[in-house]
Each structure stands twice: as C-alpha cells, then as structure tokens.
Amino acid sequence: MSEKTLPPEARQLLVQYQTLREHYARIDAELKIVEAELSEIESIMDTLKTVGDDVELYKAVGHILVKKSKSDVLKELEERKELLTIKRDKYRKQLEFLNKQISETENKLRETLSKHGLIASK
C-alpha cells in the first residue's frame, strides 16, 4: 500500500504521526546529552570532594586555562547542575506529552485506516 492510495484524512494523520515521532527523537537526543553532562558534573563534584581546598584547579575558557579556587569551581558546577536539572525535567515532561500525542495519533490513524478497510480492525 503506497501513501498515494491513502485517503486524505489518513495521509494527514500519517504526516502528523511522523512529525511527532521526529520531534520526540530530537527531544530524546537532547535529554540524553543533558543527562550525560549531569552525570559528568556529579562525577567531577564527587572527585573534588576528595581533594583538599588548597588544590590548584584550572578551568578551560576558550583556548586558555584560568586558575580557579575549589569553592568557585564547585559553585559554578552547582549552578550548571541546577540549570541542567531544570532542562532535564522540562525534556522529560515534553517526552511524556509527546508520547501521549503519538499514541492518540496512532489510534486515530488505525481507526481511519480500519474505517476505509485498509487494515483489519481490532
């Protein structure tokens, strides 16, 4: 069955379904990036807790390294962690919402195809 033989209503639902799936994939990829960075920050913070306060730390800023105190580095990491946690939660909510939309669109598409005799109804 090719897309050209689908009724207009089914074609529209199929395009909507594909668009939702693509959007879901993009958000899911972004979520994975954020979660990886959060994991890395947690690891760095855990490591920093085991070293003394007098340790020399450097932060890469562009192509140079800048000396930072342990407390400054921990503060920056904590701020970044908060921001990423907010992004992670936002992405999770978006994925939950998109998942519901995908499921609803898939059900509508099945109903439409069944109504037109293109698939067997459940």
Side-chain angles (χ1 to χ4, degrees):
M1 167 176 65
S2 71
E3 203 173 302
K4 292 177 183 168
T5 62
L6 292 175
E9 180 185 3
R11 263 186 273 158
Q12 180 183 5
L13 284 168
L14 184 58
V15 168
Q16 181 181 356
Y17 177 78
Q18 290 170 332
T19 302
L20 287 169
R21 296 286 298 183
E22 289 167 5
H23 190 60
Y24 184 96
R26 283 193 304 273
I27 298 294
D28 190 47
E30 288 292 325
L31 175 61
K32 285 178 176 41
I33 291 168
V34 166
E35 287 176 334
E37 189 174 346
L38 273 168
S39 178
E40 183 179 14
I41 287 173
E42 287 288 337
S43 176
I44 293 168
M45 291 175 78
D46 288 345
T47 300
L48 288 176
K49 289 175 184 172
T50 65
V51 299
D53 290 339
D54 58 339
V55 70
E56 287 188 8
L57 299 173
Y58 295 88
K59 179 182 176 188
V61 180
H63 295 294
I64 62 170
L65 295 176
V66 177
K67 189 174 182 178
K68 294 274 191 168
S69 70
K70 179 180 171 182
S71 62
D72 286 345
V73 170
L74 284 171
K75 182 181 175 193
E76 287 178 18
L77 289 170
E78 192 60 47
E79 288 171 0
R80 181 72 181 150
K81 181 181 169 186
E82 284 179 35
L83 176 68
L84 290 171
T85 300
I86 291 168
K87 276 179 106 172
R88 181 196 61 198
D89 294 345
K90 181 184 89 170
Y91 288 151
R92 285 180 176 172
K93 285 179 183 175
Q94 285 178 330
L95 288 176
E96 187 179 313
F97 178 74
L98 284 168
N99 204 29
K100 287 178 186 176
Q101 283 188 311
I102 288 168
S103 181
E104 289 171 6
T105 304
E106 186 175 348
N107 288 336
K108 287 178 189 175
L109 183 59
R110 287 183 196 280
E111 288 174 16
T112 301
L113 292 174
S114 177
K115 181 172 73 175
H116 290 284
L118 296 171
I119 62 168
S121 57
K122 289 185 177 181

